[in-house]
C-alpha cells in the first residue's frame, strides 16, 4: 500500500461579483414591485406582503459581504432573478466541465504535472449538470487523458472530502497513480433569489485537488487520516430530480403563466436548526478524530472549515482548539465567496496554506446537507 498525498490544489472563480448592497437593492426592488402588484390581494388577506432584506442583517447573520457569480445581470434582474447561461450544443463543452477543467489546469500547473500523469477524475459537487454522461468523463476527455477513468458523486457540501477519501483509498490500493478531485459549483442556478431567508447565501466557483502517490514526487500534504459521517436530516433539501415531471397532474403542462418551468425545485433550509445541530456534530467529529490520531489541540496549526457561516466556524474552531480561535487558526473566505458548497473548505485551504512550514498539521473539514460531514487531517511535507 502506498499513501496518497495532496500534491496541489487549483481554483477558478467567475469574473463578476455581487456585493450585499447590490443584492439587497435588487431584492428590495422585487419586493416593492411584488407588493404593489399584489396590493389588492394583500388588502383582502389573500396574499402576504413580502418584507425587505437588509445588507446589515446579511453580514451580521452570516459574515458574507459579496459572492462571485457566473452571471450578475440575470441574478439582479428582478424580472428574472436567475443567471443567464447560454445553451450549448452536445458538441461544446458543458459549463460545469469547463469551470472544473479550469481548476484542474491550475492544480496540474502548480504541481508541474500533465494530464498523462493522472489516472482518474472524480467530480464531487452539490449540483451536477445532468445524469449522464458523467461531467468527470467530459473533463477527462477535455484534459486529453489517454487512459483512466472518471465518475461523478454528490454528497452536497461534503462532496470534496468524501471524494478525497475515495481517491486516497484508490491510490493506496494501487488503482491509480494520481486522481483529480474536482468541485464545480454553480450554486447561483439553484438558489431562490426571491427568498429573503436564503437569497444571500451562495456563490459560484470551481476547485480541484490533485492527489498522488507519495513516492512519485515531493512537496504537498500527507493525509494523516480521513473520517466521513452522515445523519439524515430534512433541514437542508433540494427536491430537484428526474421524477419531478411524473408528479404532475394530467393536463398540467409543467409551465407557469410566466413561462418558467414548475419543476424548478430549489434549495431550501431551516438555517437556525442547521446551525444548532451541525456545530456539535462537526466539533465532536473533529475532536474524536484528533484523539484517534493522537493529536492534541496545541499540535493543530489550522482548520480549513466549510464556509457557510462565520459564527458557526468561530464556534467550531473554539471547540477544536479549546480556546478562543479565529483569524489565522480558521481562515475565512466566505466574506468574499459566500457559501460555495463543496468547494468552500478547499478554497480556504488553497488560499491559506502556503505560509505553513513542514510538519505543520491541520484539518480540512466539510459539513452540510444530508447531514454530511468529512474531515481530512493533513501534515505539510
Ligand atoms: N434581511 C433582514 N432580516 C432578515 C433576513 C434578511 N435577508 N432574513 C431573515 N431576517 C430576519 C428574520 O425575519 C428574523 O426576524 P424575527 O426575529 O423578527 O423573526 C431574524 O432576521 C432572524 O432570522 P433567522 O433566525 O433565520 O436568522 P439567523 O440569525 O439564524 O441567520 C442564517 C440565518 C444565516 C441562514 C443562519 O441560520 C445560518 O447560516 N445557518 C447555517 C446554515 C448552513 O450552514 N447551511 C448549510 C447549507 S448549505 C449545504 O449544505 C450545501 C447544499 C448545496 C446547495 C447548493 C445550491 C444552492
Amino acid at each position: 500500500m502506498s499513501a496518497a498525498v495532496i500534491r496541489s490544489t487549483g481554483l477558478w472563480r467567475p469574473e463578476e461579483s455581487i456585493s450585499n448592497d447590490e443584492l439587497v437593492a435588487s431584492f428590495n426592488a422585487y419586493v416593492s414591485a411584488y407588493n404593489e402588484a399584489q396590493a389588492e390581494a394583500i388588502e383582502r388577506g389573500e396574499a402576504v406582503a413580502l418584507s425587505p432584506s437588509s445588507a446589515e442583517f446579511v453580514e451580521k447573520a452570516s459574515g458574507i459581504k459579496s459572492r462571485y457569480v457566473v452571471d450578475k445581470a440575470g441574478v439582479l434582474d428582478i424580472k428574472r432573478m436567475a443567471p443567464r447561461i447560454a445553451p450549448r450544443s452536445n458538441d461544446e463543452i458543458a459549463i460545469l466541465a469547463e469551470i472544473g477543467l479550469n481548476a484542474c489546469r491550475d492544480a496540474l500547473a502548480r504541481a508541474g504535472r500533465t494530464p498523462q500523469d493522472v489516472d482518474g477524475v472524480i467530480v464531487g459537487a452539490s449540483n451536477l449538470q445532468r445524469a449522464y454522461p458523467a461531467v468527470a468523463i467530459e473533463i477527462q476527455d477535455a484534459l486529453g487523458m489517454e487512459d483512466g477513468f472518471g465518475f461523478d458523486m454528490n454528497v452536497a457540501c461534503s462532496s470534496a472530502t468524501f471524494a478525497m477519501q475515495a481517491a486516497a483509498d484508490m491510490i493506496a490500493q494501487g488503482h491509480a497513480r494520481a486522481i483529480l478531485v474536482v468541485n464545480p459549483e454553480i450554486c447561483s442556478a439553484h438558489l431562490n433569489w426571491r427568498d429573503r431567508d436564503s437569497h444571500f447565501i451562495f456563490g459560484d466557483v470551481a476547485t480541484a485537488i490533485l492527489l498522488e502517490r507519495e513516492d512519485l514526487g515531493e512537496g504537498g500534504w500527507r493525509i494523516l487520516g480521513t473520517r466521513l459521517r452522515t445523519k439524515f436530516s430534512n433541514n437542508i433539501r433540494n427536491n430537484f430530480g428526474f421524477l419531478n415531471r411524473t408528479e404532475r397532474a394530467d393536463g398540467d403542462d409543467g409551465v407557469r403563466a410566466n413561462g418558467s418551468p414548475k419543476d424548478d425545485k430549489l434549495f431550501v433550509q431551516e438555517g437556525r436548526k442547521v446551525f444548532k445541530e451541525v456545530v456539535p456534530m462537526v466539533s465532536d467529529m473533529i475532536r474524536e478524530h484528533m484523539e484517534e490520531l493522537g493529536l492534541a489541540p496545541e499540535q493543530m496549526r489550522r482548520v480549513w472549515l466549510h464556509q457557510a457561516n462565520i459564527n458557526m466556524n468561530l464556534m467550531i474552531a473554539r471547540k477544536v482548539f479549546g480556546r478562543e480561535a479565529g483569524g489565522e487558526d480558521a481562515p475565512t473566505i466566505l466574506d468574499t465567496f459566500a457559501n460555495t458548497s463543496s468547494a468552500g473548505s478547499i478554497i480556504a485551504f488553497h488560499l491559506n496554506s502556503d505560509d505553513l512550514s513542514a510538519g505543520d498539521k491541520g484539518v480540512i473539514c466539510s459539513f452540510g446537507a444530508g447531514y454530511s460531514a468529512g474531515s481530512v487531517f493533513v501534515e505539510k511535507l
Side-chain angles (χ1 to χ4, degrees), residues 49-90:
L50 300 180
S51 302
S53 186
S54 115
E56 295 69 41
F57 170 85
V58 171
E59 188 173 341
K60 189 162 176 288
S62 68
I64 297 165
K65 297 177 185 165
S66 59
R67 68 283 297 143
Y68 291 96
V69 288
V70 292
D71 178 51
K72 182 171 178 171
V75 167
L76 295 181
D77 177 353
I78 64 165
K79 293 204 171 72
R80 182 178 176 93
M81 298 181 95
R84 280 186 195 88
I85 300 175
R88 297 181 183 189
S89 76
N90 286 353

Side-chain angles (χ1 to χ4, degrees), residues 137-167:
I137 303 177
E138 195 176 358
I139 292 176
Q140 175 197 11
D141 182 61
L143 278 170
M145 283 167 59
E146 281 156 18
D147 216 343
F149 62 87
F151 63 88
D152 296 348
M153 55 184 275
N154 181 352
V155 200
C157 290
S158 287
S159 299
T161 51
F162 276 57
M164 282 162 82
Q165 154 118 45

Side-chain angles (χ1 to χ4, degrees), residues 22-199:
E22 291 171 314
L23 183 71
V24 166
S26 153
F27 180 86
N28 289 349
Y30 157 71
V31 167
S32 299
Y34 176 91
N35 288 346
E36 211 176 299
Q38 297 292 322
E40 288 178 13
I42 293 168
E43 185 73 26
R44 288 195 300 273
E46 291 163 8
V48 178
L50 300 180
S51 302
S53 186
S54 115
E56 295 69 41
F57 170 85
V58 171
E59 188 173 341
K60 189 162 176 288
S62 68
I64 297 165
K65 297 177 185 165
S66 59
R67 68 283 297 143
Y68 291 96
V69 288
V70 292
D71 178 51
K72 182 171 178 171
V75 167
L76 295 181
D77 177 353
I78 64 165
K79 293 204 171 72
R80 182 178 176 93
M81 298 181 95
R84 280 186 195 88
I85 300 175
R88 297 181 183 189
S89 76
N90 286 353
D91 295 326
E92 293 172 283
I93 188 165
I95 186 163
L96 223 59
E98 180 183 294
I99 68 172
L101 184 65
N102 292 336
C104 286
R105 287 193 170 131
D106 187 25
L108 288 171
R110 284 169 195 272
R113 298 289 184 274
T114 73
Q116 304 323 323
D117 299 318
V118 180
D119 292 328
V121 178
I122 306 177
V123 165
S126 281
N127 292 296
L128 293 159
Q129 184 144 7
R130 55 181 183 245
Y132 45 81
V135 175
I137 303 177
E138 195 176 358
I139 292 176
Q140 175 197 11
D141 182 61
L143 278 170
M145 283 167 59
E146 281 156 18
D147 216 343
F149 62 87
F151 63 88
D152 296 348
M153 55 184 275
N154 181 352
V155 200
C157 290
S158 287
S159 299
T161 51
F162 276 57
M164 282 162 82
Q165 154 118 45
D169 287 350
M170 283 190 265
I171 290 168
Q173 292 297 330
H175 296 304
R177 293 165 299 159
I179 295 177
L180 277 162
V181 166
V182 199
N183 322 106
E185 295 283 11
I186 303 189
C187 300
S188 65
H190 239 162
L191 177 57
N192 184 354
W193 297 93
R194 295 183 177 86
D195 174 39
R196 177 179 179 254
D197 290 350
S198 65
H199 76 112

